[in-house]
Amino acid sequence: MKIRRRPGGSTRRPTAPTALAATALTAALTLTACGGSSSAEDSGGRLSVVASFYPMEYLAAQIGGDHVKVTGLTAPGVEPHDLELTAKQVGSVQKAGAVVYLKGLQPTVDKAVGQSRSKHVVDAAAASPLVDHHLDEGAEEQDGHAHAEGTGDPHVWLDPTRYATVAKAVGAEFAKADPAHAADYEKNTADLVGRLAALDEEFRTGLQGAKQKVFVTSHAAFGYLADHYGLEQIAISGVDPEAEPTPARLATIHRAAEQHGITTVFFESLVSPALANSVANDLKLKTAVLDPIEGIKGGKGDYFSVMRQNLAHLRTALGTTS
């Protein structure tokens, strides 16, 4: 089995439930089966919500407001694909009043949710069905594992309209789980959906007049964004951010850069920029951050501020005139 090297020189095997994670899950299931108090509400009477990673956690907090206590399973700044649940985290999923997650992204979370007691589970992939964005032949060969699984691209939150659809599902489920505060959940959902509609319009307006429509990213996280705004992403790696590109893939990127007059290679905040920097140096291009917002480190903004940063960086790279 191939070992992948993470930023800073550490190594990690491909994402999958490890023996330790499996042991934690078994232990937690045993504990919950033996009884114990329910955590559907916290000591303050708030609905207890478990969210799998940042985009789901953000929705839960914005819609739930003061009526919920949200526990995020993925720590800020951690790449969500790498998550391995502790026994305590598995237990929190088992006993939560509501769970918000995206099936297929984090196998250990999927397994815990499958054994959860909660009657109120929101799967973002069910609310906004995933699309398997077809890459060119070279990319599919290098990233065949992700395509073979058939789960599709999970990054639905990068299209504000799809994210709004997930938000509506979260609001509806919170209202079922906590009917006493249903009106507040409905209002908070409507407010958030309105803000997402405004963000969508900002992107539409901001990307008008772009000199070219193609951009290069370190991995294929931006398919929904590209589709929605009439752009095309060319990814160095496929859906898996750690897949190493083949020589044929790199040659494809070189040709595309020359053909489309590409000026910038985008890298991400949670993954080493080494590969993007190497490609950019070879092509004598600039680099910039295009953040997939899978996790935000403390004090570095929220979903809306990072999306607006992405828009500004895209406008610069694509040569917008408006």
Side-chain angles (χ1 to χ4, degrees), residues 77-139:
V78 172
E79 221 286 334
H81 302 271
D82 291 340
L83 181 66
E84 296 171 359
L85 296 181
T86 65
K88 182 178 180 180
Q89 287 177 313
V90 174
S92 71
V93 176
Q94 305 306 308
K95 299 182 290 182
V99 179
V100 184
Y101 82 123
L102 196 157
K103 186 176 182 179
L105 180 66
Q106 298 167 295
T108 55
V109 175
D110 292 353
K111 191 169 184 180
V113 171
Q115 300 294 333
S116 176
R117 294 178 179 180
S118 179
K119 297 179 181 178
H120 304 287
V121 176
V122 179
D123 172 14
S128 182
L130 306 186
V131 174
D132 190 6
H133 289 107
H134 294 292
L135 306 178
D136 58 80
E137 183 177 352

Coordinates of all heavy atoms in Angstrom, one line a residue, residues 77-139:
G77 N -8.9 23.5 10.4 CA -7.6 23.3 9.8 C -7.2 21.9 9.4 O -6.1 21.7 8.9
V78 N -8.0 20.9 9.8 CA -7.7 19.5 9.5 C -8.4 19.1 8.2 O -9.6 19.4 8.0 CB -8.2 18.6 10.6 CG1 -8.0 17.1 10.2 CG2 -7.4 18.9 11.9
E79 N -7.7 18.5 7.3 CA -8.2 18.0 6.0 C -9.3 16.9 6.4 O -9.0 15.9 7.0 CB -7.1 17.4 5.2 CG -7.2 17.7 3.7 CD -8.3 16.9 3.0 OE1 -8.7 15.9 3.5 OE2 -8.8 17.4 2.0
P80 N -10.6 17.1 6.0 CA -11.6 16.2 6.5 C -11.5 14.8 6.0 O -12.0 13.8 6.6 CB -12.9 16.8 5.9 CG -12.5 17.7 4.8 CD -11.1 18.2 5.2
H81 N -10.8 14.5 4.8 CA -10.7 13.2 4.3 C -9.8 12.3 5.3 O -9.9 11.1 5.3 CB -9.9 13.2 3.0 CG -10.6 14.0 1.9 ND1 -11.6 13.5 1.1 CD2 -10.5 15.3 1.6 CE1 -12.0 14.4 0.3 NE2 -11.4 15.6 0.5
D82 N -9.0 13.0 6.1 CA -8.1 12.3 7.0 C -8.8 11.9 8.4 O -8.1 11.3 9.2 CB -6.9 13.1 7.3 CG -6.0 13.2 6.1 OD1 -6.1 12.4 5.2 OD2 -5.2 14.2 6.1
L83 N -10.0 12.3 8.6 CA -10.6 12.1 9.9 C -10.7 10.6 10.4 O -11.2 9.8 9.6 CB -12.0 12.7 9.9 CG -12.8 12.6 11.3 CD1 -12.1 13.5 12.3 CD2 -14.2 13.1 11.1
E84 N -10.3 10.4 11.6 CA -10.5 9.1 12.2 C -11.1 9.4 13.6 O -10.6 10.0 14.4 CB -9.1 8.4 12.4 CG -8.5 8.0 11.1 CD -7.1 7.5 11.2 OE1 -6.6 7.5 12.4 OE2 -6.4 7.2 10.2
L85 N -12.3 8.9 13.8 CA -13.1 9.2 15.0 C -12.6 8.5 16.2 O -12.1 7.4 16.2 CB -14.6 8.8 14.8 CG -15.4 9.5 13.7 CD1 -16.8 9.0 13.7 CD2 -15.4 11.0 13.9
T86 N -12.6 9.3 17.3 CA -12.3 8.7 18.6 C -13.6 8.0 19.2 O -14.7 8.2 18.7 CB -11.8 9.7 19.6 OG1 -12.9 10.7 19.9 CG2 -10.7 10.5 19.1
A87 N -13.4 7.2 20.2 CA -14.6 6.6 20.8 C -15.6 7.6 21.3 O -16.8 7.4 21.2 CB -14.1 5.6 21.9
K88 N -15.0 8.7 21.9 CA -15.9 9.8 22.4 C -16.7 10.4 21.3 O -17.9 10.7 21.4 CB -15.1 10.8 23.1 CG -15.9 11.9 23.7 CD -15.0 12.9 24.4 CE -15.9 14.1 25.0 NZ -15.0 15.1 25.8
Q89 N -16.1 10.6 20.1 CA -16.8 11.2 19.0 C -17.8 10.3 18.4 O -18.9 10.7 18.1 CB -15.8 11.6 17.9 CG -14.9 12.8 18.2 CD -13.9 13.0 17.1 OE1 -13.2 12.1 16.6 NE2 -13.8 14.3 16.7
V90 N -17.5 9.0 18.3 CA -18.5 8.0 17.9 C -19.7 8.0 18.8 O -20.8 8.0 18.4 CB -17.9 6.6 17.8 CG1 -19.0 5.6 17.5 CG2 -16.8 6.6 16.8
G91 N -19.4 8.1 20.1 CA -20.5 8.1 21.1 C -21.4 9.4 20.9 O -22.6 9.3 21.0
S92 N -20.8 10.5 20.6 CA -21.6 11.7 20.4 C -22.5 11.6 19.2 O -23.6 12.1 19.2 CB -20.6 12.9 20.2 OG -19.9 12.9 19.0
V93 N -22.0 10.9 18.1 CA -22.9 10.7 17.0 C -24.0 9.8 17.3 O -25.2 10.0 16.9 CB -22.1 10.1 15.8 CG1 -23.0 9.7 14.6 CG2 -21.0 11.0 15.3
Q94 N -23.8 8.7 18.1 CA -24.8 7.8 18.5 C -26.0 8.5 19.2 O -27.1 8.1 19.0 CB -24.2 6.7 19.4 CG -23.0 5.9 18.8 CD -23.3 5.4 17.5 OE1 -24.3 4.7 17.3 NE2 -22.4 5.6 16.5
K95 N -25.6 9.4 20.1 CA -26.6 10.0 21.0 C -27.1 11.4 20.6 O -27.9 12.0 21.3 CB -26.1 10.0 22.4 CG -25.7 8.7 22.9 CD -25.2 8.8 24.4 CE -23.8 9.4 24.4 NZ -23.3 9.5 25.8
A96 N -26.7 11.9 19.4 CA -27.1 13.3 19.1 C -28.6 13.4 18.8 O -29.2 12.5 18.3 CB -26.3 13.7 17.8
G97 N -29.1 14.6 19.0 CA -30.4 14.9 18.7 C -30.6 15.0 17.2 O -31.7 14.8 16.6
A98 N -29.6 15.5 16.5 CA -29.6 15.6 15.0 C -28.1 15.5 14.5 O -27.2 15.9 15.2 CB -30.2 17.0 14.6
V99 N -28.0 15.0 13.3 CA -26.7 14.8 12.7 C -26.7 15.4 11.3 O -27.7 15.2 10.6 CB -26.3 13.3 12.6 CG1 -24.9 13.2 11.9 CG2 -26.3 12.7 14.0
V100 N -25.7 16.2 11.0 CA -25.5 16.8 9.7 C -24.2 16.3 9.1 O -23.2 16.6 9.7 CB -25.6 18.3 9.7 CG1 -25.6 18.9 8.3 CG2 -26.8 18.8 10.5
Y101 N -24.2 15.6 7.9 CA -23.0 15.1 7.4 C -23.2 15.0 5.9 O -24.2 15.3 5.3 CB -22.7 13.8 8.0 CG -23.4 12.6 7.4 CD1 -22.7 11.5 6.9 CD2 -24.8 12.5 7.4 CE1 -23.3 10.4 6.4 CE2 -25.4 11.3 6.9 CZ -24.7 10.3 6.4 OH -25.3 9.2 5.9
L102 N -22.1 14.5 5.2 CA -22.1 14.3 3.7 C -21.6 12.9 3.5 O -20.5 12.6 3.6 CB -21.3 15.3 3.0 CG -21.5 15.5 1.5 CD1 -21.0 16.9 1.0 CD2 -20.8 14.4 0.7
K103 N -22.6 12.0 3.1 CA -22.2 10.6 3.0 C -21.2 10.4 1.8 O -21.4 11.0 0.8 CB -23.5 9.8 2.7 CG -23.3 8.3 2.6 CD -24.6 7.6 2.4 CE -24.4 6.1 2.4 NZ -25.7 5.4 2.2
G104 N -20.2 9.6 2.1 CA -19.3 9.2 1.1 C -17.9 10.0 1.2 O -17.0 9.6 0.6
L105 N -17.9 11.0 2.0 CA -16.7 11.8 2.2 C -15.8 11.3 3.3 O -14.6 11.2 3.1 CB -17.0 13.3 2.5 CG -15.9 14.2 2.6 CD1 -15.1 14.4 1.3 CD2 -16.3 15.6 3.1
Q106 N -16.4 10.9 4.4 CA -15.6 10.4 5.5 C -16.1 9.0 6.0 O -17.2 9.0 6.7 CB -15.7 11.4 6.7 CG -15.2 12.8 6.3 CD -15.6 13.9 7.3 OE1 -16.8 14.2 7.4 NE2 -14.6 14.5 8.0
P107 N -15.5 8.0 5.6 CA -16.0 6.6 5.9 C -16.3 6.3 7.4 O -17.3 5.7 7.7 CB -14.9 5.7 5.4 CG -14.2 6.5 4.3 CD -14.2 7.9 4.8
T108 N -15.4 6.8 8.3 CA -15.7 6.6 9.7 C -17.0 7.3 10.2 O -17.7 6.8 11.1 CB -14.5 7.0 10.6 OG1 -14.2 8.4 10.3 CG2 -13.3 6.2 10.3
V109 N -17.3 8.5 9.6 CA -18.5 9.1 10.0 C -19.7 8.4 9.4 O -20.7 8.2 10.1 CB -18.5 10.6 9.5 CG1 -19.8 11.3 9.7 CG2 -17.4 11.4 10.1
D110 N -19.6 7.9 8.2 CA -20.7 7.1 7.6 C -21.0 5.9 8.5 O -22.2 5.6 8.7 CB -20.3 6.6 6.2 CG -20.1 7.8 5.2 OD1 -20.4 8.9 5.5 OD2 -19.6 7.5 4.1
K111 N -20.0 5.2 9.0 CA -20.3 4.0 9.8 C -20.9 4.4 11.1 O -21.9 3.7 11.5 CB -18.9 3.3 10.0 CG -19.1 1.9 10.6 CD -17.8 1.2 10.6 CE -18.0 -0.3 11.1 NZ -16.7 -1.0 11.1
A112 N -20.5 5.5 11.7 CA -21.1 5.9 13.0 C -22.5 6.3 12.8 O -23.4 6.0 13.6 CB -20.3 7.0 13.6
V113 N -22.8 7.1 11.7 CA -24.1 7.6 11.4 C -25.1 6.4 11.2 O -26.2 6.4 11.5 CB -24.2 8.5 10.2 CG1 -25.6 8.8 9.8 CG2 -23.4 9.8 10.6
G114 N -24.5 5.4 10.5 CA -25.3 4.2 10.2 C -25.8 3.5 11.4 O -26.8 2.7 11.4
Q115 N -25.1 3.7 12.6 CA -25.5 3.0 13.8 C -26.1 4.0 14.8 O -26.4 3.7 15.9 CB -24.3 2.4 14.5 CG -23.6 1.3 13.6 CD -24.5 0.1 13.5 OE1 -25.3 -0.2 14.3 NE2 -24.3 -0.6 12.4
S116 N -26.4 5.3 14.3 CA -26.9 6.3 15.2 C -28.3 6.1 15.7 O -29.1 5.5 14.9 CB -26.8 7.7 14.5 OG -27.3 8.7 15.3
R117 N -28.6 6.5 16.9 CA -30.0 6.4 17.4 C -30.8 7.6 16.9 O -32.1 7.5 16.9 CB -29.9 6.6 18.9 CG -29.3 5.5 19.7 CD -29.3 5.8 21.2 NE -28.7 4.8 22.0 CZ -28.6 4.9 23.4 NH1 -29.1 6.0 24.0 NH2 -28.1 4.0 24.1
S118 N -30.2 8.6 16.4 CA -30.9 9.8 16.0 C -31.9 9.5 14.9 O -31.6 8.9 13.9 CB -30.0 10.9 15.6 OG -30.7 12.1 15.2
K119 N -33.1 10.1 15.0 CA -34.1 10.0 14.0 C -34.0 11.2 13.0 O -34.8 11.3 12.1 CB -35.5 10.0 14.6 CG -35.8 8.7 15.5 CD -37.2 8.8 16.1 CE -37.5 7.6 17.0 NZ -38.8 7.7 17.6
H120 N -33.1 12.1 13.3 CA -33.0 13.4 12.6 C -31.6 13.5 12.0 O -30.7 14.0 12.6 CB -33.3 14.5 13.5 CG -34.7 14.4 14.1 ND1 -35.8 14.6 13.4 CD2 -35.1 14.1 15.4 CE1 -36.9 14.4 14.2 NE2 -36.4 14.1 15.4
V121 N -31.4 12.9 10.8 CA -30.1 12.9 10.1 C -30.3 13.6 8.8 O -31.2 13.3 8.0 CB -29.6 11.5 9.9 CG1 -28.3 11.5 9.1 CG2 -29.4 10.8 11.3
V122 N -29.4 14.6 8.5 CA -29.4 15.3 7.2 C -28.1 14.8 6.5 O -27.0 15.1 6.9 CB -29.4 16.8 7.4 CG1 -29.4 17.5 6.0 CG2 -30.6 17.2 8.1
D123 N -28.3 14.2 5.3 CA -27.2 13.9 4.4 C -27.2 14.9 3.3 O -28.1 14.9 2.4 CB -27.4 12.5 3.9 CG -26.4 12.1 2.8 OD1 -25.4 12.8 2.7 OD2 -26.6 11.1 2.1
A124 N -26.1 15.7 3.2 CA -26.1 16.8 2.2 C -26.1 16.2 0.8 O -26.6 16.8 -0.1 CB -24.8 17.6 2.4
A125 N -25.5 15.0 0.7 CA -25.5 14.3 -0.6 C -26.8 13.9 -1.1 O -27.1 13.7 -2.3 CB -24.5 13.1 -0.6
A126 N -27.7 13.6 -0.2 CA -29.1 13.3 -0.5 C -29.9 14.6 -0.8 O -30.8 14.6 -1.7 CB -29.8 12.5 0.6
A127 N -29.6 15.6 -0.1 CA -30.3 16.9 -0.3 C -30.0 17.5 -1.7 O -30.8 18.1 -2.4 CB -30.0 17.9 0.8
S128 N -28.7 17.4 -2.0 CA -28.2 17.9 -3.3 C -27.4 16.8 -4.0 O -26.2 16.7 -3.7 CB -27.3 19.2 -3.1 OG -26.9 19.7 -4.3
P129 N -28.0 16.0 -4.8 CA -27.3 14.8 -5.3 C -26.0 15.1 -6.0 O -25.9 16.1 -6.7 CB -28.3 14.2 -6.3 CG -29.7 14.7 -5.7 CD -29.4 16.0 -5.2
L130 N -25.0 14.3 -5.7 CA -23.7 14.5 -6.2 C -23.5 14.2 -7.7 O -24.3 13.4 -8.2 CB -22.6 13.7 -5.5 CG -22.7 13.8 -3.9 CD1 -21.5 13.0 -3.3 CD2 -22.6 15.3 -3.5
V131 N -22.6 15.0 -8.4 CA -22.4 14.8 -9.8 C -20.9 14.3 -9.9 O -20.0 14.8 -9.3 CB -22.5 16.1 -10.6 CG1 -22.1 15.9 -12.0 CG2 -24.0 16.6 -10.5
D132 N -20.7 13.3 -10.8 CA -19.4 12.8 -11.1 C -18.8 13.6 -12.2 O -19.1 13.4 -13.4 CB -19.4 11.3 -11.4 CG -18.0 10.7 -11.5 OD1 -17.1 11.4 -11.2 OD2 -17.9 9.5 -11.9
H133 N -18.1 14.7 -11.9 CA -17.6 15.6 -12.9 C -16.6 14.8 -13.8 O -15.5 14.4 -13.2 CB -17.0 16.8 -12.3 CG -18.0 17.7 -11.7 ND1 -18.2 17.9 -10.4 CD2 -18.9 18.5 -12.3 CE1 -19.1 18.8 -10.1 NE2 -19.6 19.2 -11.3
H134 N -16.8 14.7 -15.0 CA -15.9 14.0 -15.9 C -14.7 14.8 -16.3 O -14.8 15.9 -16.8 CB -16.6 13.5 -17.2 CG -17.7 12.5 -16.9 ND1 -17.5 11.3 -16.5 CD2 -19.1 12.7 -17.0 CE1 -18.6 10.6 -16.3 NE2 -19.6 11.5 -16.6
L135 N -13.6 14.3 -15.9 CA -12.3 15.0 -16.2 C -11.8 14.4 -17.6 O -12.4 13.5 -18.1 CB -11.3 14.7 -15.1 CG -11.7 15.1 -13.7 CD1 -10.6 14.8 -12.7 CD2 -12.1 16.6 -13.7
D136 N -10.7 14.9 -18.1 CA -10.2 14.4 -19.3 C -9.5 13.0 -19.0 O -9.4 12.6 -17.9 CB -9.2 15.3 -19.9 CG -8.0 15.6 -18.9 OD1 -7.1 14.8 -18.8 OD2 -8.1 16.7 -18.3
E137 N -9.2 12.3 -20.0 CA -8.8 10.9 -19.9 C -7.6 10.8 -19.0 O -7.5 9.9 -18.2 CB -8.4 10.4 -21.3 CG -8.0 8.9 -21.3 CD -7.8 8.4 -22.7 OE1 -8.1 9.1 -23.6 OE2 -7.3 7.2 -22.8
G138 N -6.6 11.7 -19.1 CA -5.4 11.6 -18.3 C -5.7 11.7 -16.8 O -5.2 11.0 -16.0
A139 N -6.7 12.6 -16.5 CA -7.0 12.8 -15.1 C -7.8 11.5 -14.5 O -7.6 11.1 -13.4 CB -7.9 14.0 -14.9

